Amino acid sequence: MLLPVSALGGTLVGGSQTITDGYAVETWGLTQNATLNIDGAQTLGINASQSTLNANGGATLGISASNGSTVNLTDTTVTGGNARAGVELFNSTATITGSTVTSNNIGLQAAHVVGTPTGSTVTAVNSRFTGATGGARATAFSALTFSNSVVEGTNADSFGLALLGGSASASDGTRIIGGQNGAVLRLEGGVAAGNQLTLDGSSVEGRNGSAIVVDYAGATAPASRIDVLNGSTLTGSNGTILEVKEAGDALMNVGLSNLTGNVQVAGDSRAALNLTQATLTGDVRAEAGGTATVALQQGSQMTGIMDNVATASIDEQSGWTMTGDSQVGDLVLNGGTVRFGADNAFYRLNVDTLSGSGLFAIGTDFSTNQTDFLNVTGTATGNHQLMIASSGVDPASGQPIQVVHTGGGDASFSLANAGGEVDLGAYSYGLKQSDTGNDWFLDPTARTVSPSTRAVMALFNTAPTVWYGEMMSLRSRMGELRFNSQKSGAWIRAYGNKYNVSDSYGAGYRQAQHGFTLGADAPLPMGDGQWLLGVMAGHSTSDLDLHRGTSGTIKSYYVGTYLTWMDDVSGYYVDSVLKLNRFQNDAKVGMSDGKRSKGDYDNNGLGGSVEVGRNIKLDDGYFIEPFTQWSAVAIQGKDYHLDNGLQAEGDRTYSFLGKAGVTAGRDMQLDNGATVQPYVRAAFAHEFSKNNEVKVNNNVFNNDLSGSRVELGAGIAVNLSERWQAHAEVEYMNGKGIEMPIGGTVGVQFKW
């Protein structure tokens, strides 16, 4: 052991000394560049001036260091008692690792000597600092750095961290906790120095107050900078994460963090809130005379109220969702979005001036004429869009619904909704500017049929098309029946059809149908010809595409019976069918505001057809077959609704279709004994049904199915053997309001 220049008990003047466990427990005073090494020993209080203290393990009752001293604590316990702080530094430096510091006052204090421009510096890792008054404090020119540590005030009115013109940074999960406020940023008397607090992946909590308080006690000083970064959190029991008062001035930058709580600015104070790739769920409020600014950038989102905010800027990746009436002085939208909140609540945004370009998402209850409202009392400039929420409910009246007012300027507003219209119940409406140029409203005089209505109409309109598409598989069997009508058999058909349907209410829709039919029949020993009685069952799915994200699906399940009479001598035949369907209908509507609505219902259909024709045989196996077919179907009416509130009432749908045509073909015998029958067919058809009424929100629409059409087809029937026959056919149809660019069926039959 080195002998000190002067060592009197616990006093070390110059030189160095090491004490270990078992050494006398006493008070130490270090001066004149003395060095005290503590290795697992216990001491009373230690006072170091222009000296060094190295403690590894052990415990002490408090440390005070001044005049450029250095304190290094590792795995050490410091119990400060009633001293001003457990560890107190004046113009000194400390490195604290894995240690615990407690006090009846302040756990840790880094300070400067009054009148000197330099303070103290503390670096703490994996340590804990607690005090009844506060966890830690730094005065002007002093700096605290915490990593993976806890800084806590334990009394109900305590702070976790206090800065008086000093700086502090907390990283790696450091927790700052105050019995009242988490962090308090004040000024040191006579020193006009702001504070700096940096949180990096750390938290601040006020258990009986605000997370952070900036209080200048009426003095003037530069803004206190607060950086909340990389997942840091702020929690105030009173719901306030930042409170600025008594002439306080705060600049809070939030990056890559999600905060919940309010920002409150008193009447004589200032606060600037900048969010970068961050979120805030809470309000920003400034009392009269106070100044608050908000900047949302690089994908930041705020959800809450802005009240008396002087300036708010929102860039193109960022957005603000209002939760109540708000007031902003200058609103600058650099491509940003302002959402007026929930669909069932309606808010007013008052703005002094509006500039830039942005999107306003507005909600309206058109059953009550309640609406969100943008009110620019001063000048509005720039190009802005309105996304107005769609609804299945019609406007309560035919009066215009105002959504924007400006006090002047050259601002333009247009609808961002798909198609430049807002879907409101049965119709879609456009946006109109007033003659004065300062007001914008929804115009009830310029309307089109809404996608919801067109989806409803399409479902009611499509059932007959589905029914006739399923009948194709039975009509095409006539060639097979003539091969061997004296035996019983079973058959299966697969079919698919595509339709392009135009209507009077929009762009029409496309329908794609596919399905299959199973059947079995047997000859009847009666009459002067060949009678055949059969039963069938099947299923088809039809998908509707109504454009702009609106679609529908009809699943059809059916059973039926058919009776066919053929006379080989004369060639005459009669083919009759009776079919019962169960339809499962589903609509998905893409509305103009990008949302989706849906609805579904089930209904039944019953129909039948009778075809009469004659097969006329010509030379060399050729034949022609003129025919006429008459079909009728009734589809059950149904009342149902979409989940956007639209009500649909469909009357019973009728279809009565007459058709006349001719089939020409040839029977050819192959060397292997098989018979092949290629053929072509042409027909003219007319739909006689005109009035099929549909009500949408009590608005009457007519599903007019009437019109004429031309059908062309070609196919081949093959008699493979006495037991097996096969068939394939393609078809094209075009007429008023409907085109089938392609349809086809293929199947086989087995006789036993």
Side-chain angles (χ1 to χ4, degrees), residues 383-430:
N383 299 317
H384 305 278
Q385 291 185 304
L386 305 178
M387 174 65 76
I388 300 181
S390 298
S391 171
V393 179
D394 280 22
S397 67
Q399 299 302 313
I401 300 175
Q402 186 176 359
V403 291
V404 175
H405 168 77
T406 68
D410 60 359
S412 66
F413 292 88
S414 60
L415 287 176
N417 299 61
E421 296 178 318
V422 182
D423 301 336
L424 308 176
Y427 296 95
S428 299
Y429 299 83

Side-chain angles (χ1 to χ4, degrees), residues 268-568:
D268 56 356
S269 301
R270 299 174 57 89
L273 177 64
N274 302 319
L275 272 64
T276 303
Q277 300 183 51
T279 66
L280 171 64
T281 302
D283 303 335
V284 179
R285 298 179 182 270
E287 298 176 359
T291 302
T293 63
V294 176
L296 306 178
Q297 51 201 9
Q298 297 184 30
S300 295
Q301 301 293 326
M302 175 182 166
T303 301
I305 294 171
M306 292 193 198
D307 184 16
N308 194 33
V309 171
T311 302
S313 63
I314 307 174
D315 75 5
E316 61 181 352
Q317 300 175 3
S318 303
W320 167 33
T321 300
M322 295 167 51
T323 59
D325 293 345
S326 296
Q327 193 278 322
V328 176
D330 298 328
L331 179 59
V332 182
L333 298 180
N334 298 311
T337 300
V338 178
R339 301 177 182 87
F340 279 66
D343 292 341
N344 59 353
F346 305 99
Y347 305 129
R348 182 184 183 95
L349 173 58
N350 293 316
V351 178
D352 293 342
T353 62
L354 172 66
S355 61
S357 62
L359 174 69
F360 295 89
I362 294 177
T364 301
D365 185 344
F366 296 97
S367 64
T368 62
N369 279 357
Q370 291 177 288
T371 183
D372 295 321
F373 188 71
L374 172 62
N375 180 41
V376 183
T377 58
T379 302
T381 60
N383 299 317
H384 305 278
Q385 291 185 304
L386 305 178
M387 174 65 76
I388 300 181
S390 298
S391 171
V393 179
D394 280 22
S397 67
Q399 299 302 313
I401 300 175
Q402 186 176 359
V403 291
V404 175
H405 168 77
T406 68
D410 60 359
S412 66
F413 292 88
S414 60
L415 287 176
N417 299 61
E421 296 178 318
V422 182
D423 301 336
L424 308 176
Y427 296 95
S428 299
Y429 299 83
L431 188 70
K432 184 177 181 180
Q433 188 175 7
S434 68
D435 294 337
T436 64
N438 295 333
D439 300 287
W440 283 261
F441 51 85
L442 296 179
D443 184 7
T445 64
R447 65 184 190 181
T448 60
V449 175
S450 70
S452 297
T453 299
R454 292 196 293 111
V456 166
M457 297 280 290
L459 287 182
F460 285 129
N461 193 57
T462 302
T465 309
V466 172
W467 195 88
Y468 286 122
E470 295 166 349
M471 290 290 289
M472 287 179 56
S473 63
L474 194 65
R475 167 65 184 83
S476 62
R477 293 183 56 256
M478 295 306 301
E480 292 177 51
L481 292 179
R482 293 192 178 90
F483 287 139
N484 194 342
S485 61
Q486 304 301 316
K487 292 184 179 182
S488 302
W491 53 273
I492 183 171
R493 285 285 186 274
Y495 53 89
N497 313 295
K498 289 187 176 182
Y499 300 93
N500 297 321
V501 181
S502 60
D503 55 41
S504 303
Y505 310 111
Y509 59 89
R510 293 191 293 267
Q511 175 186 344
Q513 180 186 26
H514 59 88
F516 67 90
T517 306
L518 303 170
D521 47 45
L524 299 178
M526 56 181 288
D528 55 355
Q530 293 79 46
W531 291 87
L532 196 69
L533 179 65
V535 294
M536 63 177 179
H539 165 67
S540 74
T541 298
S542 296
D543 296 316
L544 307 182
D545 179 6
L546 286 89
H547 314 291
R548 271 177 46 186
T550 297
S551 62
T553 302
I554 300 178
K555 294 185 180 295
S556 172
Y557 303 86
Y558 54 91
V559 295
T561 182
Y562 56 92
L563 180 64
T564 304
W565 174 80
M566 295 183 298
D567 183 64
D568 288 340

Side-chain angles (χ1 to χ4, degrees), residues 451-452 455-456 459 544-553 585-591 595-600 640 642-643:
S452 297
V456 166
L459 287 182
L544 307 182
D545 179 6
L546 286 89
H547 314 291
R548 271 177 46 186
T550 297
S551 62
T553 302
N585 307 272
D586 178 80
K588 295 182 175 65
V589 180
M591 296 187 292
K595 297 179 182 177
R596 292 183 66 83
S597 178
K598 61 183 180 179
D600 59 80
Y640 78 107
L642 300 182
D643 59 9

Side-chain angles (χ1 to χ4, degrees), residues 38-279:
I38 301 175
D39 187 3
Q42 296 186 21
T43 74
L44 300 178
I46 300 175
N47 192 324
S49 174
Q50 199 179 355
S51 297
T52 300
L53 170 64
N54 301 314
N56 187 358
T60 181
L61 294 185
I63 298 172
S64 177
S66 61
N67 296 325
S69 294
T70 300
V71 176
N72 300 306
L73 305 180
T74 302
D75 298 328
T76 301
T77 299
V78 180
T79 306
N82 294 323
R84 285 178 306 201
V87 174
E88 185 174 34
L89 305 174
F90 291 95
N91 292 34
S92 297
T93 301
T95 301
I96 304 173
T97 305
S99 299
T100 300
V101 179
T102 62
S103 172
N104 294 334
N105 289 308
I106 299 174
L108 170 67
Q109 177 161 271
H112 75 113
V113 176
V114 175
T116 61
T118 58
S120 299
T121 302
V122 177
T123 301
V125 180
N126 300 331
S127 297
R128 186 180 188 94
F129 304 90
T130 60
T133 301
R137 180 166 63 186
T139 68
F141 314 117
S142 297
L144 302 174
T145 301
F146 300 102
S147 175
N148 191 30
S149 297
V150 175
V151 182
E152 182 176 4
T154 56
N155 282 354
D157 60 352
S158 65
F159 57 82
L161 171 68
L163 299 179
L164 283 75
S167 66
S169 65
S171 62
D172 296 329
T174 293
R175 298 170 58 207
I176 299 172
I177 306 165
Q180 183 175 20
N181 301 310
V184 178
L185 280 57
R186 296 191 175 100
L187 301 179
E188 182 178 334
V191 180
N195 302 280
Q196 182 164 340
L197 173 61
T198 301
L199 304 174
D200 188 348
S202 298
S203 64
V204 176
E205 178 184 358
R207 288 180 170 167
N208 193 35
S210 304
I212 300 176
V213 175
V214 179
D215 181 354
Y216 282 5
T220 301
S224 292
R225 176 167 174 164
I226 305 166
D227 295 327
V228 184
L229 309 174
N230 299 322
S232 296
T233 61
L234 304 177
T235 305
S237 65
N238 59 4
T240 301
I241 59 173
L242 176 62
E243 178 183 356
V244 187
K245 61 182 182 179
E246 298 296 331
D249 194 347
L251 168 61
M252 186 160 80
N253 302 310
V254 184
L256 296 172
S257 298
N258 302 318
L259 302 184
T260 300
N262 303 321
V263 175
Q264 186 69 42
V265 184
D268 56 356
S269 301
R270 299 174 57 89
L273 177 64
N274 302 319
L275 272 64
T276 303
Q277 300 183 51
T279 66

Side-chain angles (χ1 to χ4, degrees), residues 614-679:
R614 184 183 181 189
N615 183 268
I616 302 173
K617 299 185 182 299
L618 305 175
D619 294 340
D620 296 327
Y622 288 99
F623 68 89
I624 60 171
E625 187 176 279
F627 68 91
T628 182
Q629 183 186 47
W630 297 87
S631 304
V633 61
I635 310 296
Q636 177 188 12
K638 200 74 172 181
D639 297 347
Y640 78 107
H641 68 277
L642 300 182
D643 59 9
N644 63 5
L646 182 135
Q647 301 290 329
E649 303 173 32
D651 284 351
R652 187 173 297 159
T653 300
Y654 295 99
S655 173
F656 182 49
L657 184 69
K659 184 185 301 185
V662 62
T663 302
R666 185 185 184 189
D667 291 326
M668 297 183 296
Q669 194 76 27
L670 302 182
D671 294 340
N672 60 3
T675 302
V676 177
Q677 183 191 93
Y679 65 88

